[in-house]
Amino acid sequence: MREKQTLTVDVAIVGGGIIGTAVARELSKYDVSILLVEKEAEVGWGTTKANSGIVHAGFHEEPGTLKAKYCFPGNQMYPKLCEELDVCFRRNGILMVARNQEEWDIVQKYYQRGKDRGVPVELLSKEEALALEPALSSDILGALHAPEGGSVMPFELAAALMENALQNGAQLLTNSPVVAAQVEGERKVIETAEHRIEAKVVINAAGLFADDLAQMFGDDYFTIKPRKGEEYLFDLDTKDMVTRTIFPVPTKVSKGILVIPTAEGNLMMGPTGDNIEEKEDLATTRDGFARILEGAKSLVPGINPRKIIAQFAGVRAASDRGDFIVELSPNVPGLIHLAGMESPGLTAAPAIAVDAVKLVEEAGLKLTPKEDFEPRRKPMVRFRSLSHEERDRLIKENPAYGRIICRCESVTEGEIIDAVQRGARTLDGIKFRARAGAGRCQGGFCQPLVMAIIARELGIPLEEVTKRGLGSEPVMYHAKELLTGGEGQ
Amino acid sequence: MKQLSVDVAVIGGGPAGLAAALSAKAEGAQKVMIIERNHELGGILQQCIHHGFGLHRFKAELTGPEYAQRFINELDDTDIETLLETMVLEITPERKIYAVNSEQGMMEISAKAIVLAMGCRERTRGALQIPGSRPAGVFSAGTAQRFVNIEGYMPGKRAVILGSGDIGLIMARRFTLEGAKVEAVVEVLPYAAGLTRNVVQCLEDFDIPLYLKSTVIHIHGKDRVEAVTIAEVDDAWNPIPGTERVIECDTLLLSVGLVPENELSSHAGVKLDPVTNGAYVNEHLMTTIPGIFACGNVLHVHDLVDNVSKEAERAGKYAGRYAMGTLQKPEKWVKVVAGDNVRYVVPHEISLTEPVEFFLRVQRPQDDVIVDVGGVRTVRERSVRPSEMLNIKLTPEQLQNFTGDTFVIQVKDRKEAEQSA
Ligand SMILES: Cc1cc2nc3c(=O)[nH]c(=O)nc-3n(C[C@H](O)[C@H](O)[C@H](O)COP(=O)(O)OP(=O)(O)OC[C@H]3O[C@@H](n4cnc5c(N)ncnc54)[C@H](O)[C@@H]3O)c2cc1C
Ligand SMILES: Cc1cc2nc3c(=O)[nH]c(=O)nc-3n(C[C@H](O)[C@H](O)[C@H](O)COP(=O)(O)OP(=O)(O)OC[C@H]3O[C@@H](n4cnc5c(N)ncnc54)[C@H](O)[C@@H]3O)c2cc1C
């Protein structure tokens, strides 16, 4: 076996979800060396790519929790952050609807909670709510409206945060699961198959596997329990049906089944909240679908399941405290846990990242702000949202923007090449960054074309192009290979 | 932005677009243009390398590319202009077309008449909501066909095919011939959805099992498909507990239906028929927007390309006339209605004064029937099935005998009909 390469850094972050990438970007404002280590082929593929994408308003959370502490401040950071990073985000607002008197009492409780925290909220009569959202069920009594709730493309945000952190000097290792960890004097050492990484501070942002990583350090004071949520995505032509995210009143364990206009505008419905055994069980189920459809229809009766184009599941990393864990390990000096990130972890991430920097300082690192920090990444070209004239000009500059690859979402070759240059390595990476294959035909037409572009740009054979990392190659053999003995039976 | 104007613009250069352009030209239209996304003409036919095309039209068993080539050769002898690698992004009710390619950039094309010939896309796993994980190895059958026949790659070596539509049947044979093992073809209906000849030539000849009244209820595998669970279904298509069976495979092909690609049309305001998912058309194959015509798979899903060509020739002819200002408006339009055991009929309106050709599909299989066409003609059929489109012509003389407000086409049991007569 080859000897492992040793890398020495100030801060090693394990896990490139929204938490890890937000922390990497926040830390890259300071003069420290940062290395983010991610087990998958790209960042953002854990829970971060499979959730509701809601930037919560901040009225839901139980007072006194870390969820409450970080949610509203996180929400308030989104507009600037997404503007700097050119990420698809809109403040479409949130409605929590009451369908009977009992629910109305609950809605009023949340209204008060929002008020107490300074969250902009208002109570709407049935007529007012229906005037805002005519597709709502007419069986409602009234609703709570939080205009600052929003929707974001979560994967896009994680990718953008990482890209910007890299611009500002951070480093990234992908395809690198951390398999061992120990403390060696002042240093913490983490190991992947190929690297031995020595760091002054290690940040545990390993999502569902945060307890496993902690245990590698001999730290076992918390556990993570997986809870699955299924989501069903509709065709873009559902765009004008509902504008605001529609919530029922919450149940004991979850915020309930929602109708969610995504940042792009098409509707989604979900999620379920089911305790599961296996952390990577991402299967959707018949039963989950039935429950979601029933829940969504009770809010928006006109929802048409025939317009569904895709479904997926994400797994929440619920800690045994029922709250976020944002702290220095009491047992291992210099180890910071950012774990238990159930909802609203996505919303809270920017605010948590700010506190993570404070924890790094508490751990003994001296941080001086960089003078040349660049908060912006290179702007994205989104062909579909340009005017005809803008398109024409762009194509004259670069003809690759004149070749449409994904016809459902009007994604050009230029955008796909750009996505590869920004770090996409796989079909899913292209889909989540550039939307090629994310539309109604789900890549039926463009998959062969996108694979050919990835292969060409990376200089690899087509059969090495993957859907989402090693082992997920869509095409396995050359034509005739099975007949000529090679692999055939 | 470049500005162009033409008499007839045809969107899509598949068999429908080719035939429509040729016939618009033959009718006398001056400037005819085909706009095609792909780098070559021929549409989906270019990947259909099996034979079986053109039996009706050319009395020959051609492959898809050979059938297309006959039209492309004809086109070469005309001055019909073709814009390849050019995608139409938008059409307006005023018949302006916005198209893009990498050489000319954005173009605004004003057309006196437009023929929609964009074909269709395949239904996906997402539309079916098949439960399970989301590994690589799940393909629509047409995508797999493209990988094998055009790109030269085999997706996998052990496949299950869901849906017994023609593309699925053809791909079962293709995979087998390429050395892969097709473990099963699974169909939710009590009968095969594709043409009988394809069931015989693609499954039976290769001993590939066909499971009827069954479906895939779960996809297994983290990175790559590892297996699927299939189960029998009841009449409401719910899986029957206890009938589950796991089949190991690395590939799942879906051949579960085609959807006409009408995003451009509906954006322009063309009214669509919710049954066909294609435009609502009169006997000129003109949509609800004057000067915009439709034909081929974008109008309704065809099983035989010969019918596509025929239909497209009519659309091209009338589009040509419209562009020249010679298309006569009839005094009135009579609505055509799908009656008993008829799922849909195209066209949706007729004039009663010109010869008309109906394309229709039945709702369910039925044996020994007569098709009653508006009470002016009856056609006897030994058996009718949803997979096989019926095609009935009427002359103006026959149409003269029609009385009433709506023209109903219905399928009747022959014996019952004769008894009551
Ligand atoms: C169905 C659902 C809906 C949700 N909806 C919302 C919502 O609308 N709004 C909201 O605010 N929040 C929502 N959430 C919560 C939100 O998605 C999470 O809080 C957030 O994504 C957590 O991010 P993370 O970075 O902690 O975890 P992850 O995204 O899971 O990131 C952890 C990363 O660590 C990597 N990793 C793990 N182990 C190792 C290892 N040993 N070595 C290297 N790398 C490793 C993983 O590959 C992964 O990339 C939802 C969650 C679910 C499941
Ligand atoms: C896999 C398969 C097997 C078949 N087997 C047989 C058989 O054995 N025998 C038989 O008779 N028939 C068969 N058929 C049916 C026959 O091929 C089709 O009915 C016929 O191809 C439909 O022709 P079309 O021109 O309407 O559509 P298509 O062939 O799909 O052509 C549509 C064209 O429009 C272009 N286009 C779409 N949108 C745009 C846009 N916005 N801008 C520019 N261009 C656009 C597309 O690129 C395409 O070239 C088969 C079909 C398939 C899919």
Side-chain angles (χ1 to χ4, degrees):
Chain A
M1 219 181 96
R2 240 180 341 130
E3 188 150 325
K4 287 186 185 180
Q5 191 191 345
T6 300
L7 301 170
T8 309
V9 290
D10 293 327
V11 183
I13 302 168
V14 181
I18 195 69
I19 299 294
T21 56
V23 171
R25 195 248 185 183
E26 195 60 32
L27 270 176
S28 75
K29 294 177 177 170
Y30 301 88
D31 224 344
V32 278
S33 58
I34 308 155
L35 174 68
L36 190 147
V37 189
E38 168 55 53
K39 74 178 162 75
E40 302 293 335
E42 296 183 32
V43 297
W45 281 2
T47 307
T48 293
K49 93 166 173 184
N51 56 59
S52 305
I54 302 163
V55 178
H56 288 289
F59 61 79
H60 264 110
E61 299 67 30
E62 217 39 62
T65 60
L66 290 181
K67 290 179 182 174
K69 176 178 173 192
Y70 291 114
C71 186
F72 180 53
N75 171 299
Q76 297 297 300
M77 293 169 75
Y78 260 80
K80 177 158 174 277
L81 186 64
C82 293
E83 193 269 324
E84 285 176 344
L85 297 177
D86 192 8
V87 166
C88 203
F89 163 69
R90 52 187 193 124
R91 275 200 158 147
N92 57 323
I94 285 172
L95 284 185
M96 183 195 275
V97 302
R99 289 164 292 198
N100 52 45
Q101 189 56 46
E102 196 184 327
E103 292 190 351
W104 185 240
D105 295 342
I106 301 175
V107 161
Q108 281 174 318
K109 186 184 91 186
Y110 284 101
Y111 169 76
Q112 198 49 51
R113 208 176 253 188
K115 276 263 170 243
D116 294 345
R117 279 178 205 159
V119 177
V121 280
E122 57 177 340
L123 287 173
L124 303 181
S125 68
K126 170 181 176 170
E127 290 69 31
E128 289 167 324
L130 282 167
L132 285 185
E133 295 294 347
L136 272 183
S137 161
S138 54
D139 283 345
I140 62 166
L141 233 62
L144 165 62
H145 180 213
E148 293 194 353
S151 256
V152 70
M153 286 290 161
F155 175 87
E156 200 182 313
L157 179 58
L161 286 163
M162 193 67 232
E163 189 183 330
N164 188 238
L166 292 171
Q167 259 173 291
N168 286 297
Q171 291 170 280
L172 169 67
L173 278 181
T174 52
N175 288 315
S176 303
V178 171
V179 289
Q182 65 268 353
V183 179
E184 292 181 5
E186 288 286 278
R187 287 179 310 212
K188 274 139 292 292
V189 177
I190 54 176
E191 292 185 50
T192 69
E194 285 169 18
H195 294 94
R196 176 189 149 86
I197 297 145
E198 305 180 352
K200 294 183 185 135
V201 173
V202 168
I203 297 180
N204 175 6
L208 285 162
F209 300 93
D211 54 349
D212 301 310
L213 184 81
Q215 273 177 28
M216 291 180 206
F217 279 106
D219 199 13
D220 58 2
Y221 74 106
F222 65 87
T223 56
I224 300 293
K225 291 216 174 53
R227 205 168 76 243
K228 182 161 79 175
E230 299 180 25
E231 310 259 16
Y232 293 79
L233 187 71
F234 292 83
D235 192 288
L236 202 54
D237 68 9
T238 55
K239 204 174 178 144
D240 301 320
M241 195 170 173
V242 177
T243 305
R244 292 160 191 80
T245 305
I246 314 293
F247 286 70
V249 298
T251 66
K252 279 232 158 48
V253 293
S254 84
K255 299 194 180 85
I257 304 296
L258 326 174
V259 175
I260 309 152
T262 65
E264 290 279 343
N266 49 338
L267 295 188
M268 193 160 84
M269 61 177 184
T272 46
D274 298 324
N275 293 325
I276 50 173
E277 294 300 315
E278 210 219 306
K279 287 178 176 177
E280 290 189 316
D281 168 5
L282 294 173
T284 48
T285 63
R286 220 178 133 77
D287 167 62
F289 172 69
R291 280 183 283 145
I292 288 174
L293 185 62
E294 191 192 339
K297 278 197 166 228
S298 75
L299 300 172
V300 179
I303 274 215
N304 177 2
R306 291 182 53 182
K307 292 273 175 196
I308 291 172
I309 61 166
Q311 61 277 109
F312 59 84
V315 182
R316 301 172 188 84
S319 77
D320 48 6
R321 295 182 197 172
D323 197 8
F324 297 162
I325 300 172
V326 181
E327 62 198 27
L328 277 159
S329 161
N331 309 314
V332 183
L335 176 61
I336 296 169
H337 296 303
L338 306 178
M341 298 293 167
E342 301 178 69
S343 183
L346 171 67
T347 312
I352 291 174
V354 172
D355 272 11
V357 169
K358 293 186 191 143
L359 292 174
V360 171
E361 283 185 306
E362 265 178 54
L365 277 193
K366 211 180 121 25
L367 299 177
T368 34
K370 276 184 207 161
E371 281 184 4
D372 57 350
F373 172 73
E374 172 54 69
R376 295 177 175 274
R377 65 167 177 160
K378 194 178 96 194
M380 300 287 287
V381 170
R382 295 185 183 88
F383 185 84
R384 66 187 171 282
S385 37
L386 300 179
S387 71
H388 292 324
E389 286 71 24
E390 288 170 322
R391 290 170 175 175
D392 199 47
R393 253 176 278 134
L394 180 67
I395 298 163
K396 298 280 147 64
E397 275 166 39
N398 181 352
Y401 288 105
R403 192 169 164 231
I404 308 275
I405 300 296
C406 164
R407 63 207 232 185
C408 304
E409 301 280 317
S410 298
V411 183
T412 62
E413 178 168 26
E415 290 162 273
I416 294 169
I417 295 172
D418 182 54
V420 175
Q421 285 168 354
R422 289 174 193 259
R425 291 292 171 270
T426 62
L427 278 169
D428 274 4
I430 296 285
K431 172 163 129 185
F432 284 109
R433 284 165 200 261
R435 292 191 69 71
R440 52 180 69 94
C441 92
Q442 289 287 298
F445 285 109
C446 68
Q447 185 178 329
L449 306 176
V450 175
M451 286 174 67
I453 297 171
I454 297 176
R456 185 189 71 207
E457 293 298 308
L458 298 179
I460 56 173
L462 195 87
E463 60 280 26
E464 283 178 20
V465 175
T466 67
K467 178 168 156 57
R468 53 157 172 266
L470 215 59
S472 67
E473 293 76 10
V475 296
M476 301 174 75
Y477 312 103
H478 280 269
K480 307 292 176 285
E481 190 177 332
L482 296 176
L483 296 170
T484 50
E487 273 280 36
Q489 301 98 329
Chain B
M1 185 164 49
K2 195 168 167 178
Q3 318 256 344
L4 297 166
S5 54
V6 298
D7 293 317
V8 178
V10 178
I11 306 178
L18 288 166
L22 284 166
S23 99
K25 188 80 219 177
E27 195 65 17
Q30 290 292 310
K31 257 184 97 96
V32 179
M33 174 185 268
I34 299 181
I35 309 168
E36 168 57 51
R37 230 167 24 94
N38 210 348
H39 67 280
E40 61 183 350
L41 295 169
I44 202 78
L45 290 183
Q46 297 291 8
Q47 68 182 51
C48 300
I49 63 170
H50 57 282
H51 56 81
F53 296 83
L55 279 172
H56 298 263
R57 188 180 182 97
F58 298 115
K59 307 281 175 275
E61 278 224 42
L62 306 176
T63 64
E66 284 171 338
Y67 184 93
Q69 197 58 42
R70 295 211 174 185
F71 288 83
I72 297 171
N73 290 345
E74 256 186 75
L75 197 80
D76 287 343
D77 295 333
T78 70
D79 63 355
I80 295 172
E81 206 180 323
T82 53
L83 284 178
L84 294 178
E85 290 189 88
T86 307
M87 168 100 173
V88 173
L89 297 172
E90 187 186 336
I91 54 182
T92 71
E94 298 76 34
R95 297 188 303 281
K96 281 204 190 331
I97 296 171
Y98 293 95
V100 64
N101 68 29
S102 45
E103 269 171 41
Q104 286 129 305
M106 285 295 302
M107 286 172 267
E108 184 186 274
I109 303 165
S110 308
K112 290 187 187 144
I114 294 177
V115 180
L116 306 172
M118 290 92 72
C120 52
R121 65 168 176 271
E122 296 177 275
R123 283 183 73 209
T124 63
R125 169 185 184 184
L128 292 182
Q129 293 143 40
I130 307 172
S133 54
R134 267 153 300 283
V138 181
F139 296 89
S140 59
T143 308
Q145 185 180 44
R146 184 187 161 110
F147 270 120
V148 183
N149 292 349
I150 306 238
E151 313 288 338
Y153 292 93
M154 272 298 283
K157 63 176 178 185
R158 266 181 104 176
V160 168
I161 299 178
L162 175 61
S164 60
D166 287 311
I167 316 178
L169 299 176
I170 299 278
M171 285 314 290
R173 177 173 65 187
R174 191 84 197 99
F175 261 50
T176 309
L177 293 175
E178 277 290 333
K181 174 119 176 58
V182 177
E183 300 286 347
V185 175
V186 185
E187 170 60 58
V188 75
L189 294 171
Y191 49 87
L195 300 173
T196 310
R197 75 160 195 238
N198 282 336
V199 176
V200 175
Q201 293 172 5
C202 299
L203 300 188
E204 292 173 10
D205 288 359
F206 296 93
D207 293 330
I208 297 170
L210 170 63
Y211 297 99
L212 297 174
K213 289 194 85 169
S214 302
T215 193
V216 171
I217 60 164
H218 203 91
I219 297 173
H220 308 267
K222 183 168 174 286
D223 295 321
R224 177 80 198 189
V225 174
E226 288 164 16
V228 296
T229 303
I230 70 169
E232 289 171 27
V233 296
D234 61 22
D235 291 333
W237 293 8
N238 291 316
I240 301 172
T243 64
E244 299 87 354
R245 165 143 62 126
V246 177
I247 304 181
E248 277 180 39
C249 58
D250 59 23
T251 304
L252 174 65
L253 298 189
L254 305 176
S255 173
V256 289
L258 301 169
V259 189
E261 282 252 281
N262 271 304
E263 280 66 35
L264 288 177
S265 336
S266 55
H267 187 82
V270 168
K271 184 179 158 197
L272 301 183
D273 173 342
V275 178
T276 57
N277 287 311
Y280 187 92
V281 291
N282 63 29
E283 76 188 8
H284 300 147
L285 299 171
M286 187 156 88
T287 67
T288 49
I289 298 186
I292 300 187
F293 298 76
C295 57
N297 275 358
V298 79
L299 179 56
H300 59 126
V301 176
H302 294 252
D303 26 73
L304 290 180
V305 71
D306 310 66
N307 290 330
V308 170
S309 303
K310 255 205 285 188
E311 183 178 87
E313 277 166 350
R314 275 191 288 136
K317 178 171 88 179
Y318 293 120
R321 285 193 197 164
Y322 187 92
M324 296 183 294
T326 57
L327 183 62
Q328 304 286 342
K329 248 202 196 151
E331 264 167 45
K332 59 163 188 177
W333 289 114
V334 173
K335 273 202 175 8
V336 180
V337 172
D340 284 345
N341 197 17
V342 175
R343 202 161 83 84
Y344 73 80
V345 187
V346 170
H348 302 79
E349 285 178 349
I350 56 174
S351 68
L352 301 175
T353 54
E354 288 190 61
V356 44
E357 181 164 11
F358 292 108
F359 287 131
L360 56 127
R361 280 184 198 277
V362 297
Q363 218 132 24
R364 52 180 189 279
Q366 198 176 343
D367 291 332
D368 197 12
V369 297
I370 53 170
V371 186
D372 174 349
V373 192
V376 299
R377 190 182 161 198
T378 52
V379 181
R380 189 172 161 184
E381 294 281 347
R382 206 174 308 151
S383 101
V384 289
R385 355 188 74 231
S387 58
E388 295 178 14
M389 196 166 74
L390 296 172
N391 167 352
I392 298 169
K393 284 187 194 159
L394 291 185
T395 61
E397 295 69 45
Q398 289 170 315
L399 287 162
Q400 259 175 11
N401 302 328
F402 174 75
T403 51
D405 302 327
T406 51
F407 192 93
V408 182
I409 302 187
Q410 50 192 328
V411 174
K412 297 176 174 165
D413 184 90
R414 186 183 59 85
K415 288 203 192 87
E416 279 174 27
E418 283 174 358
Q419 269 162 17
S420 66

